[in-house]
Amino acid sequence: MSVQGSMPLGEVLVGDCVEIMKGLPAGSVDMIFADPPYNLQLGGELTRPNNSRVDGVEDSWDRFDDFAAYDHFTNAWLRQARRLLKPDGTLWVIGSYHNIFRVGAGLQDLGFWILNDVIWRKSNPMPNFRGRRFTNAHETLIWASKDQEANYTFNYRSMKALNEDLQMRSDWFIPICGGQERLRDSEGKKAHSTQKPEALLHRCLLASTKPGEVVLDPFFGSGTTGAVARKLGRRWVGIEREEKYAAVARKRISRVQPGDPESLQITEKREQKRVPFGWLVERGLLEAGTTLVSYNGRYRAKVRSDGTLVTEGFSGSIHQVGAHVQGAPACNGWQFWCLNAEGKRVPIDVLRDKLRAELN
Amino acid sequence: MSVQGSMPLGEVLVGDCVEIMKGLPAGSVDMIFADPPYNLQLGGELTRPNNSRVDGVEDSWDRFDDFAAYDHFTNAWLRQARRLLKPDGTLWVIGSYHNIFRVGAGLQDLGFWILNDVIWRKSNPMPNFRGRRFTNAHETLIWASKDQEANYTFNYRSMKALNEDLQMRSDWFIPICGGQERLRDSEGKKAHSTQKPEALLHRCLLASTKPGEVVLDPFFGSGTTGAVARKLGRRWVGIEREEKYAAVARKRISRVQPGDPESLQITEKREQKRVPFGWLVERGLLEAGTTLVSYNGRYRAKVRSDGTLVTEGFSGSIHQVGAHVQGAPACNGWQFWCLNAEGKRVPIDVLRDKLRAELN
DNA sequence: GAGCCTGATGAATCACGCG
DNA sequence: CCGCGTGATTCATCAGGCT
């Protein structure tokens, strides 16, 4: 058994990611973002029609003898990822058709529960020069919890806000990393061949973590995960096999302005403090005896001094009475019941909001 | 060994697809489109915010004991699919994150060579009613040949034409099947719970088959593959486990107007008649002695009467000379060499097009 | 007929905390 | 650990009915 130290937050650890993960404490990570080698089987060089050479991925870290070797490697790092995650932590993995099916099946076999697969649609993909296939214009991300029962984090409201107040879909349109964002060496060459755009990590981190939580990236590369984590006030740990890339990442992240806590604060509705309906009556925001109307005008009920409602032959909480009159199994009374205000029906939820504001 | 008959073209065979495929002749199919069960593993019932019930997929054909059982089933039908395909035939499979990773890994293990994964982006997916995940707004298709060396069909020009003369990308935006297209029984209920849109099949068939070729769908369902195949002048065979669905499909397909051969004709450049460069000189579209310039203006060469080019100390075909001056292993001379026309450089390929038009 | 409103529905792995 | 109560939660499209 290996000796397990504490989490080296804000550091890039250099070495084999499986071995290094073995030395980290179990259940200490809230989210893992992994961009493993793609197992690209490029047959020789790829050239453009005019013979200029495409600078593809041919680094030694991206070569595996066969699928069995790749599966073995995948299983090893996924096992460690699973061990390091907290019970409610989640895993993101990105890949292409060369490797993502093997990774997806592998993580399902280990008990991970897939929450979504997400498509990164590239605004500016490389064309298919030979005209023999469809332009490969996307990559696939898998988002998974440790098991089916996990109470994972999903910042629904933040995602909805990012998408013009419509639910965020599973297809994301984001440009590839280029221009000023792309890290280059002194000769102008790409510092890393598969640098991911910060916008992609921004969305993953914002969707599935809270400020201050711990994010691990076992294939750190040029450190995009660390840079965005710092920007978003998340804590991070990176693992990178090559010191060359680790150095690039450290320098890059040190220049990132950390996000200020206040602007990072987001409140999901489901996290707000509970306000019982009765408090509205106690506090005088609603008088006992007031008649409430259902949102569609079909039902009426009277408010009692203890915070229950009463309608013909039935009484109970706002939720119970709402469900009863509709003959429905459940009902959110806050949205169902309304006040008549200036001829318009207003959900009693607005009174709850008002009280919550007073209570702060 | 089972007795193998001939291909029952235009028929829906009722029974277990693996068993039926075993009875069909090897190497007899040009393309297979497969929409296997997704193994959704749905839990209890799901209601919309208005308390109406979501009509999920609860059919018996989608229930498997565990991943092992699903993998076993997947391996069995993929093996038969492989046996039935001609050497240059291709396989399409559609799935969701529940099953596609297992199918993708399984077909790679059998030696299939993935050409693309294609994303069907739904214009109108069902929302995520509980706000716990991203809206699952896509499904994934895998397109694969039997092996890496296969000379598969890809109708590049047709796909490009379908996409406003830009290369067709791997992400397709297509509405789900509803409205008039959705087959319903006499009570207005869905005839099949997972009917695919014809637009999706149209694109798959148009991309990867020629008129008259044989298409097999081992999970025929309501027969979308057959209907579109008939419309596009492809021959088809369907296999469906339930007679109920087979009957629906037969009736549906019988009403389809077969495409007329002329309008199905498409011209892929690679199938056009070969036109040697020398013919341009013979026919007078280009005079011997003309000086050609490379597309980037760096190199020059002179046309000789026999259709060869000559430059400083080297002569040969347009391709050989193009490769030589660049020091490249190969070169497409039709695109590399240009004429100076009205101050602009125009590839000599335009002269070939002109001659081809004259030769018709 | 045009326009507006209401209701239905689609391959869906769809709560959570407290007592 | 289970049971129960509170309460969070939907987008695009089509069919049909009413003004």
Side-chain angles (χ1 to χ4, degrees):
Chain A
M1 185 183 283
S2 59
V3 179
Q4 289 162 12
S6 63
M7 245 6 218
L9 298 171
E11 287 185 29
V12 187
L13 309 174
V14 177
D16 176 78
C17 76
V18 176
E19 291 309 313
I20 290 182
M21 283 197 279
K22 282 181 183 168
L24 298 176
S28 55
V29 172
D30 293 286
M31 193 269 253
I32 293 178
F33 185 92
D35 182 9
Y38 277 24
N39 194 32
L40 294 181
Q41 298 137 30
L42 297 179
E45 288 194 350
L46 180 64
T47 53
R48 295 192 173 89
N50 63 9
N51 281 314
S52 66
R53 193 175 156 283
V54 174
D55 188 15
V57 176
E58 290 178 15
D59 306 77
S60 62
W61 49 257
D62 203 36
R63 292 218 189 93
F64 290 87
D65 290 331
D66 50 30
F67 284 134
Y70 190 78
D71 292 347
H72 184 263
F73 161 74
T74 299
N75 182 269
W77 76 258
L78 280 173
R79 271 181 193 279
Q80 289 306 315
R82 191 168 175 78
R83 190 180 68 81
L84 295 183
L85 277 177
K86 295 180 185 176
D88 293 335
T90 58
L91 168 71
W92 287 89
V93 195
I94 184 168
S96 68
Y97 68 81
H98 307 85
N99 71 324
I100 198 65
F101 302 114
R102 316 206 72 84
V103 173
L107 61 86
Q108 284 182 313
D109 287 339
L110 287 174
F112 282 100
W113 189 248
I114 298 182
L115 299 168
N116 279 111
D117 59 337
V118 169
I119 303 306
W120 168 28
R121 301 176 52 227
K122 303 179 184 182
S123 60
N124 43 356
M126 191 187 297
N128 186 288
F129 295 118
R130 297 257 183 271
R132 294 291 291 140
R133 305 181 183 193
F134 300 99
T135 302
N136 190 11
H138 74 275
E139 292 187 28
T140 300
L141 299 103
I142 298 174
W143 182 42
S145 61
K146 281 184 77 172
D147 51 65
Q148 190 173 358
E149 286 73 36
N151 181 21
Y152 58 90
T153 293
F154 178 55
N155 296 317
Y156 176 75
R157 289 283 161 186
S158 300
M159 287 299 102
K160 194 169 175 175
L162 262 188
N163 194 38
E164 295 178 312
D165 239 30
L166 292 177
Q167 288 190 340
M168 183 66 81
R169 296 169 43 118
S170 56
D171 52 337
W172 301 354
F173 190 66
I174 293 174
I176 61 175
C177 182
Q180 294 301 314
E181 188 184 329
R182 188 91 200 201
L183 298 170
R184 296 182 186 277
D185 63 19
S186 54
E187 295 166 7
K189 280 174 54 182
K190 288 183 263 192
H192 192 279
S193 57
T194 66
Q195 186 182 342
K196 294 289 173 289
E198 296 198 0
L200 187 71
L201 270 293
H202 186 104
R203 196 172 291 183
C204 295
L205 284 163
L206 197 62
S208 59
T209 65
K210 304 290 182 193
E213 288 189 345
V214 175
V215 176
L216 170 69
D217 185 336
F219 305 98
F220 208 55
S222 58
T224 307
T225 302
V228 178
R230 181 169 158 113
K231 196 174 68 177
L232 291 176
R234 273 69 170 170
R235 295 178 294 169
W236 59 272
V237 182
I239 304 174
E240 169 52 44
R241 190 205 275 274
E242 299 192 32
E243 171 56 34
K244 171 177 67 168
Y245 296 134
V248 168
R250 288 191 196 100
K251 183 173 165 192
R252 169 188 188 180
I253 297 169
S254 69
R255 293 176 174 169
V256 172
Q257 179 71 26
D260 79 288
E262 200 173 353
S263 61
L264 294 172
Q265 205 60 45
I266 51 169
T267 305
E268 295 286 324
K269 195 158 187 177
R270 65 179 73 245
E271 292 162 6
Q272 290 179 337
K273 191 167 164 46
R274 200 177 87 84
V275 174
F277 175 69
W279 292 13
L280 300 185
V281 187
E282 278 184 351
R283 295 284 195 127
L285 280 87
L286 198 56
E287 276 182 53
T290 308
T291 295
L292 301 181
V293 189
S294 67
Y295 74 97
N296 53 13
R298 290 185 196 161
Y299 310 103
R300 283 160 192 281
K302 195 177 281 187
V303 178
R304 298 201 291 198
S305 55
D306 64 351
T308 57
L309 293 191
V310 61
T311 186
E312 293 167 30
F314 191 88
S315 70
S317 71
I318 53 173
H319 314 297
Q320 289 165 342
V321 175
H324 175 259
V325 297
Q326 293 179 97
C331 170
N332 178 353
W334 292 107
Q335 291 295 330
F336 183 77
W337 295 110
C338 298
L339 281 169
N340 275 316
E342 301 166 12
K344 290 199 302 186
R345 279 194 283 272
V346 181
I348 55 177
D349 209 16
V350 303
L351 296 179
R352 181 170 61 162
D353 286 345
K354 195 182 288 186
L355 182 51
R356 275 200 180 117
E358 290 178 15
L359 292 173
N360 284 336
Chain B
M1 190 182 278
S2 59
V3 179
Q4 289 163 14
S6 64
M7 254 352 229
L9 297 172
E11 287 185 31
V12 188
L13 310 174
V14 177
D16 176 78
C17 76
V18 176
E19 292 309 313
I20 291 183
M21 283 197 279
K22 283 181 183 169
L24 297 176
S28 54
V29 173
D30 293 286
M31 192 270 253
I32 293 179
F33 184 92
D35 182 10
Y38 287 8
N39 189 25
L40 287 186
Q41 304 173 261
L42 299 180
E45 68 171 25
L46 177 64
T47 56
R48 298 187 173 80
N50 65 6
N51 282 319
S52 68
R53 202 173 146 279
V54 173
D55 182 20
V57 174
E58 294 169 4
D59 309 74
S60 61
W61 48 255
D62 198 44
R63 280 199 284 273
F64 294 84
D65 289 336
D66 49 31
F67 280 135
Y70 188 79
D71 292 346
H72 184 262
F73 161 76
T74 299
N75 183 268
W77 75 257
L78 280 173
R79 272 179 192 281
Q80 289 306 316
R82 191 169 174 78
R83 192 181 66 82
L84 296 183
L85 278 176
K86 295 179 185 174
D88 293 334
T90 59
L91 169 72
W92 287 88
V93 195
I94 183 167
S96 65
Y97 65 84
H98 310 82
N99 72 323
I100 199 66
F101 303 114
R102 316 204 73 85
V103 172
L107 62 84
Q108 284 181 314
D109 287 339
L110 286 175
F112 281 101
W113 187 252
I114 299 181
L115 299 168
N116 279 111
D117 58 339
V118 169
I119 302 306
W120 169 26
R121 300 176 51 226
K122 303 179 183 183
S123 63
N124 46 352
M126 191 188 295
N128 186 290
F129 296 116
R130 294 281 175 273
R132 295 294 294 144
R133 304 180 178 193
F134 300 100
T135 303
N136 191 7
H138 73 275
E139 293 188 25
T140 301
L141 298 105
I142 297 175
W143 182 42
S145 60
K146 282 184 79 170
D147 51 65
Q148 189 174 358
E149 287 74 33
N151 183 23
Y152 58 90
T153 294
F154 178 56
N155 297 316
Y156 175 77
R157 294 280 155 187
S158 301
M159 288 299 102
K160 196 168 176 179
L162 261 188
N163 194 36
E164 295 178 311
D165 236 32
L166 294 176
Q167 286 192 346
M168 182 67 80
R169 296 168 44 115
S170 57
D171 52 335
W172 301 353
F173 190 66
I174 293 173
I176 60 176
C177 180
Q180 295 300 316
E181 186 184 332
R182 188 92 198 198
L183 299 170
R184 297 184 185 277
D185 63 19
S186 54
E187 295 168 6
K189 279 173 55 181
K190 290 180 278 192
H192 192 281
S193 56
T194 69
Q195 187 183 341
K196 294 289 173 291
E198 296 197 1
L200 188 70
L201 271 293
H202 186 103
R203 196 170 290 182
C204 295
L205 284 163
L206 196 62
S208 59
T209 64
K210 304 290 182 198
E213 288 189 344
V214 175
V215 177
L216 169 69
D217 185 336
F219 306 97
F220 207 54
S222 57
T224 307
T225 302
V228 178
R230 182 170 157 108
K231 196 175 68 178
L232 291 177
R234 274 69 172 170
R235 294 178 294 170
W236 58 272
V237 182
I239 304 174
E240 168 53 42
R241 203 162 70 161
E242 301 193 29
E243 171 57 35
K244 173 177 65 169
Y245 297 135
V248 168
R250 290 190 196 100
K251 185 173 165 191
R252 170 189 189 180
I253 297 169
S254 69
R255 293 177 175 171
V256 172
Q257 177 72 29
D260 78 288
E262 197 173 355
S263 62
L264 293 174
Q265 208 58 46
I266 52 171
T267 307
E268 290 292 320
K269 196 158 193 173
R270 68 181 64 251
E271 290 163 9
Q272 291 177 339
K273 193 167 165 45
R274 200 176 87 84
V275 174
F277 176 69
W279 291 15
L280 300 185
V281 187
E282 280 184 349
R283 296 282 193 128
L285 278 89
L286 198 57
E287 276 181 53
T290 308
T291 297
L292 301 181
V293 188
S294 67
Y295 73 97
N296 52 16
R298 292 189 195 154
Y299 310 103
R300 285 161 190 280
K302 196 176 280 189
V303 177
R304 298 199 290 198
S305 54
D306 63 352
T308 56
L309 294 191
V310 61
T311 186
E312 293 166 29
F314 191 87
S315 68
S317 73
I318 53 173
H319 313 300
Q320 288 165 343
V321 175
H324 171 76
V325 296
Q326 294 179 96
C331 170
N332 178 353
W334 292 108
Q335 290 296 332
F336 183 77
W337 295 110
C338 298
L339 280 168
N340 275 317
E342 299 166 12
K344 290 198 302 187
R345 278 193 283 270
V346 180
I348 54 177
D349 208 15
V350 302
L351 295 179
R352 180 167 63 162
D353 286 343
K354 196 181 284 186
L355 180 53
R356 276 205 179 109
E358 291 179 15
L359 292 173
N360 283 338

